[in-house]
Each structure stands twice: as structure tokens, then as C-alpha cells.
Amino acid sequence: MLIFRVLLVLLVQMNAHCMNWTSHDRPNIVILMSDAFDGRLTFHPGNKVVQMPYINYMREMGAVFLNSYTNSPICCPSRAAMWSGQFVHLTQAWNNYKCLDPNATTWMDLLGKSGYHTHSMGKLDYTSGDHSVSNRVEAWTRDVPFLLRQEGRPVTDLVGDTSTKRVMTKDWNITDAAVQWIRHTAESLTQPFALYLGLNLPHPYRTDSLGPTAGGSTFRTSLYWLNKVSYDQVSVPKWLRFEDMHPVDFYSTFTKNCSGHFTEEEIRSIRAFYYAMCAETDSMLGEVIAALRDSGLLNRTVVLFTSDHGDLAMEHRQFYKMSMFEGSSHVPLLIMGPGVKSGFEISLPVSLVDIYPTMLDLAGVPQPGGLSGHSLIPLVSGVRVQSAEPHPGWVLSEYHGCNANASTYMLRISEWKYITYADGLTVPPQLFNLSKDESELRNVASHFPDVCHDLDKLLRTILDYPSVSQTVHRYNKQQFLEWKKSLGDSYTQVIANLRWHIDWQKDAKSYERDIEEWLLGFD
């Protein structure tokens, strides 16, 4: 019955026509990808909490996806999925250090070969080798049975005054460069162009007082942007008691340094600052749209806005991402331009791997084999692409990095969100009915064993997740051993001074012993 309902939605949203772009009418393409933007803010009722006129404009002029998800709720693996069109277990982008090979073929590469003028600016972050050593070690040692705070406690930082618009100067500089490129290069091109612009906002800023290896735990904005937030609409989310939390969620809360006391005013302030950072992001999107309009290119350009993941912003007693809860895994996805229906809302679950085949369809480029995603053109235009397979109506997301002590797999289909872990046996699953429990506070897995069984069976047709978890486990041990060996006699000092140093130094010998026992344990 569940599968039937999904197929019915698909049939309603598609018709039997066929879309074929010619070399003369292929649209320009602009993708703006933000970082850590909660997709629920792009439609009702989430859009009521903060003024974002340009996202509202895109929603009115184009299509908005109401259930769009990251394929991994962390920066690099998520972007690897978007650029490659493949699920994380296929690219083996296990953490922020292990992602795509620099020579991997992206959809932008294929557009370039087909005659597009391509240009990428700003944050890319989809290839291997980046991010801090501490971040890598925390991911590699997530199976070690200790609890250490890894992140800084989330804080707010008010800068400037009511006239301070440019808070995130790095992103504004990138936006300015993109605007100049549109006005001075794109306008004079004789072939279609594809522009990618990657922003850092609304990702929290690094907390400088915690040193050079600190993560992003500072929510920074100015009164200019805070005035865009409807403070009376900023909710204080309900939290479960520690004893009622799922064990993986408790691990995440503790390692993210959120297990201490927070006042309601602290929580509300963090959330308001986050929304203000989203408003600043929206303004950068507006600059790009204005440049396209002023250059006479907007009517010939497909514009897409999305993000690599969201931010929990103190929901579930967490901030940051690394979770399958909606705040972390639900991303914005809006598309407008020629051929896209105006004011159109799509409820079917989709994900970032769908962007790859969508870009190829827009450009009239044949689809290569081995893609995990499906073209969104039939959904946003009501036109069926002749070569495209219908979207299956489910979304897969997986996570293998730090701040979660088990490989995590999420299947989103119809009203259900099914989350399972590791080998599917040693850690209990979670099941949420999002139509009745938008806040995801009631894990109903024990009440609906048949639903869990059916969804787990479907998940296993997509990937052998116990085997994937074991592959990640072996990878983590191998990488840690190589890192430890490379340090020689300095190992003890180095590992004691990573981001967890405050907790580590309370019982350093015990924690080193925990790691040695883990390394010697059964694989």
C-alpha cells in the first residue's frame, strides 16, 4: 500500500510529453549552494520566522521541494554525492577527509565537454584531503567506548550595528566576484554557461578562543540581520530527557558539548542568530538574481538554490549537523527558470544526488550509467524526459563521520523516516511518522515492527548496510594506525591536544588504553 501511494504521486506529477533541448535553446544554469541551511525555512510555516525575500521570489517564480534531503549530513561527503551523482557508500566518502578523487568526473565536467562555458567559485569541498586532523581522528575513533566533548559549546556573537550588512565578508567577496563575472563575462558569451557559487553561510563560525583546531560553534550576526527575524516566532524546542534519548543521539549531544545547562533565552538567542545568518545568505542569493536580471539573462537561466546539509540549531539538544533529524538532514531545494512551473510545490522526497542527472537533462547531455539520482525535470516541469527513469519516491542518507558512534542509515518514504545503525542488530532503530510527529520526539519503532521490517527490507535492496558499516570500521582502524605510526614518540602528546583535550587530560592514560583495546578488538 505504501509503495502504491508513492507511485500514485509520481503519476499525478508527470505527463506523457517529451522534453528535448536543442543546442540553440539550452538554458544557462546557476547553482548557489549554501552550507548548513535548514530546508524547512524555505516554505510554510518555517518561512514565517525570518524575512528571506529572494527565496520567497524563487518559490513564487519556480518550484520548491518540500522534502529534499542531503545524502550525508556533513560537508564533504554530501558535496561528493551532489557532484558525483552517487550515494556515499559508492563514492566511499566516509568523512570530511575521505571524499572524491580530484579527477572524478562531475556533472560540470560533462557540461563543459558538451559546449557549456563552466565556472565554479567559492566553497567546493568535495575532494579528499581537507579538514582538521582532530576532525579525522574523532571520526576514526568513534567506535572507541569513551565520551569526550569534541566541539565548543554553541555561543552567539553580535557584531557591528543596525547598518552592518556584510558580516560574512568572505562570502560577500565571493558573491561580488560572481556578480562581476555575470555582468562582464556571462553577458558576452555566445554559448550557454553554467555557474556554481558555493557559500559558507549559514554555517556557524569557528570559535577562535578555542584555538586553531576548533570547530564552528559561534553563531555570529549583526542587528541589521537580527531585525529580519520575527523573534516572537522563534520557538524553544522540546528536548527529551537524557534517559529517553536514543544512545547515538546521546553520544552526539555529549560530543557536541550540549549536555550542560542552557537557559531558554540562550536557546532562543542561538536560534535567532542562526535565522539571521540565513537572512544574510538570502541577500547574497538576491545579488546573483539581480545581476542576472540586469544583464538580461534571467529569463534564459535556470537558477537552483540548495545546501549541503542543515543545522539543528538546538533542536534535540544539539547544534551543527551529523544527524538524521530534520534540522540537520532536510535541505533547501528551489528551482526557477525556463520550463519550470511557477508557484509549484513538490512533496515527493528527493535528494542531492538528483542534481547530477537534472543538470545533464537541462543541458541535453546523455546520462551516464551508475548514477544514484534521478532527474527532477519531470517533477518541476510536468514534462517527462524520454530517457529518464521515474523517481523511486524514497531518499537514502547515510553518515559515517564524527559525533555519531555508529554508521547511520536513513530511508525517507511517504510519511515515514526509518533510521538504522551499524549492523542493524547491535543498535536499536528509530522510526518517525513525520505526518504526526514533525518534531521527531516519538520513536515508534517498537509500535510498528511490520513497517520497520518492510523499510529495512527495502533499504537492504539499495545497499548491504551491515557490510558497508564493517568496511567503514576497518577503514577507521587502518587510518588511525597509519596516523599513529606516523607520529612516533609524539603520539601521546598530539592525541592529548586535539579538540577533546579538556576531557582527555582528566584521565589520559585510561583513554589511551581504551584506544589500544579497540585496536586489538575483533573486526
Side-chain angles (χ1 to χ4, degrees):
M1 186 66 182
L2 177 64
I3 301 299
F4 173 78
R5 291 205 306 272
V6 172
L7 290 174
L8 184 62
V9 171
L10 284 167
L11 290 172
V12 168
Q13 296 194 62
M14 293 191 300
N15 63 31
H17 296 295
C18 176
M19 175 182 288
N20 288 303
W21 296 109
T22 70
S23 59
H24 298 292
D25 62 10
R26 294 193 298 174
N28 304 310
I29 298 170
V30 173
I31 290 187
L32 194 150
M33 189 171 211
S34 58
D35 192 325
F37 199 114
D38 184 347
R40 297 172 301 172
L41 299 176
T42 62
F43 52 85
H44 184 82
N47 64 326
K48 300 301 182 183
V49 75
V50 57
Q51 298 173 30
M52 294 189 292
Y54 301 104
I55 284 175
N56 289 341
Y57 175 77
M58 285 196 67
R59 190 176 66 249
E60 292 168 3
M61 300 303 295
V64 58
F65 288 84
L66 305 180
N67 293 289
S68 51
Y69 290 87
T70 179
N71 299 108
S72 186
I74 193 170
C75 302
C76 194
S78 170
R79 293 166 186 269
M82 189 276 288
W83 283 105
S84 70
Q86 293 186 312
F87 291 136
V88 167
H89 64 276
L90 299 177
T91 63
Q92 297 192 346
W94 304 133
N95 55 55
N96 266 347
Y97 180 70
K98 172 75 167 64
C99 288
L100 292 186
D101 184 274
N103 296 320
T105 300
T106 68
W107 52 262
M108 188 72 93
D109 295 328
L110 296 182
L111 262 59
K113 292 178 181 178
S114 77
Y116 269 73
H117 183 103
T118 61
H119 192 57
S120 296
M121 308 177 71
K123 186 171 186 176
L124 296 174
D125 198 21
Y126 64 88
T127 56
S128 296
D130 292 325
H131 294 269
S132 72
V133 171
S134 190
N135 187 277
R136 302 171 207 169
V137 176
E138 292 155 11
W140 296 335
T141 59
R142 63 184 189 153
D143 291 333
V144 180
F146 52 46
L147 270 176
L148 300 167
R149 290 171 294 175
Q150 300 168 4
E151 307 289 348
R153 179 184 170 96
V155 295
T156 59
D157 181 27
L158 185 63
V159 299
D161 53 33
T162 55
S163 65
T164 304
K165 182 177 180 180
R166 297 194 166 211
V167 178
M168 173 40 107
T169 54
K170 182 177 181 180
D171 278 356
W172 279 109
N173 291 339
I174 294 168
T175 302
D176 290 343
V179 167
Q180 290 302 310
W181 187 87
I182 291 169
R183 295 184 188 279
H184 299 294
T185 300
E187 189 176 8
S188 61
L189 292 173
T190 58
Q191 78 260 49
F193 67 84
L195 171 65
Y196 170 88
L197 175 60
L199 300 178
N200 294 279
L201 276 182
H203 191 292
Y205 294 77
R206 190 177 73 186
T207 304
D208 294 330
S209 62
L210 298 179
T213 64
S217 58
T218 295
F219 293 82
R220 179 177 297 141
T221 193
S222 68
L223 285 173
Y224 179 91
W225 297 113
L226 273 179
N227 286 336
K228 309 294 183 184
V229 178
S230 299
Y231 204 76
D232 60 336
Q233 297 290 318
V234 179
S235 63
V236 175
K238 182 180 179 181
W239 291 347
L240 296 177
R241 299 178 304 172
F242 287 132
E243 57 265 35
D244 295 330
M245 282 184 173
H246 187 277
V248 174
D249 296 331
F250 176 78
Y251 179 91
S252 297
T253 289
F254 192 95
T255 58
K256 290 178 181 179
N257 206 353
C258 290
S259 59
H261 176 69
F262 289 85
T263 66
E264 284 197 2
E265 187 55 35
E266 278 184 281
I267 297 167
R268 197 186 303 274
S269 179
I270 289 169
R271 290 171 67 77
F273 273 58
Y274 172 69
Y275 298 143
M277 293 160 69
C278 292
E280 186 175 0
T281 309
D282 176 76
S283 185
M284 297 174 191
L285 170 64
E287 293 292 318
V288 173
I289 292 174
L292 291 168
R293 181 197 62 215
D294 296 345
S295 301
L297 297 169
L298 189 58
N299 291 337
R300 291 181 281 142
T301 303
V302 172
V303 181
L304 184 151
F305 176 77
T306 189
S307 185
D308 55 352
H309 50 75
D311 193 294
L312 287 162
M314 301 311 291
E315 293 180 8
H316 302 280
R317 204 182 184 110
Q318 297 181 45
F319 76 109
Y320 237 16
K321 54 270 187 176
M322 303 117 165
S323 167
M324 295 303 172
F325 287 129
E326 287 291 287
S328 167
S329 64
H330 196 142
V331 298
L333 185 57
L334 300 101
I335 306 177
M336 72 175 189
V340 179
K341 289 185 177 181
S342 298
F344 196 43
E345 294 184 345
I346 301 104
S347 60
L348 191 76
V350 299
S351 66
L352 293 179
V353 290
D354 296 325
I355 290 177
Y356 192 117
T358 301
M359 294 300 102
L360 298 190
D361 273 350
L362 285 172
V365 177
Q367 304 278 346
L371 295 182
S372 303
H374 295 75
S375 175
L376 301 176
I377 296 300
L379 300 178
V380 300
S381 66
V383 173
R384 184 171 61 86
V385 179
Q386 196 168 36
S387 61
E389 296 181 8
H391 200 287
W394 52 257
V395 160
L396 169 69
S397 189
E398 51 190 297
Y399 183 68
H400 308 283
C402 59
N403 296 113
N405 57 342
S407 285
T408 305
Y409 307 88
M410 184 267 280
L411 189 67
R412 176 77 169 88
I413 182 170
S414 189
E415 71 267 35
W416 298 109
K417 178 186 285 188
Y418 176 67
I419 308 171
T420 189
Y421 305 86
D423 58 2
L425 299 171
T426 54
V427 182
Q430 298 200 74
L431 179 70
F432 298 101
N433 185 330
L434 295 185
S435 67
K436 298 179 179 179
D437 179 26
E438 293 181 355
S439 299
E440 299 170 291
L441 294 172
R442 297 190 298 275
N443 175 15
V444 296
S446 62
H447 299 286
F448 295 94
D450 290 344
V451 174
C452 289
H453 177 270
D454 290 346
L455 295 181
D456 195 80
K457 184 177 180 181
L458 174 59
L459 180 62
R460 290 172 188 261
T461 66
I462 303 165
L463 79 166
D464 180 358
Y465 71 83
S467 177
V468 173
S469 298
Q470 190 62 23
T471 297
V472 177
H473 180 76
R474 288 193 296 266
Y475 162 83
N476 286 340
K477 279 194 175 182
Q478 177 189 0
Q479 291 296 305
F480 184 85
L481 281 168
E482 291 178 5
W483 175 75
K484 180 185 177 186
K485 183 178 180 180
S486 71
L487 294 175
D489 294 339
S490 65
Y491 164 72
T492 296
Q493 180 182 1
V494 172
I495 198 168
N497 287 283
L498 299 178
R499 295 195 301 180
W500 55 34
H501 65 95
I502 294 176
D503 286 350
W504 183 278
Q505 292 170 8
K506 294 176 182 177
D507 198 355
K509 289 184 179 180
S510 174
Y511 295 134
E512 276 201 54
R513 187 165 56 249
D514 288 339
I515 288 180
E516 294 307 313
E517 291 176 358
W518 165 66
L519 291 172
L520 294 172
F522 177 75
D523 283 332

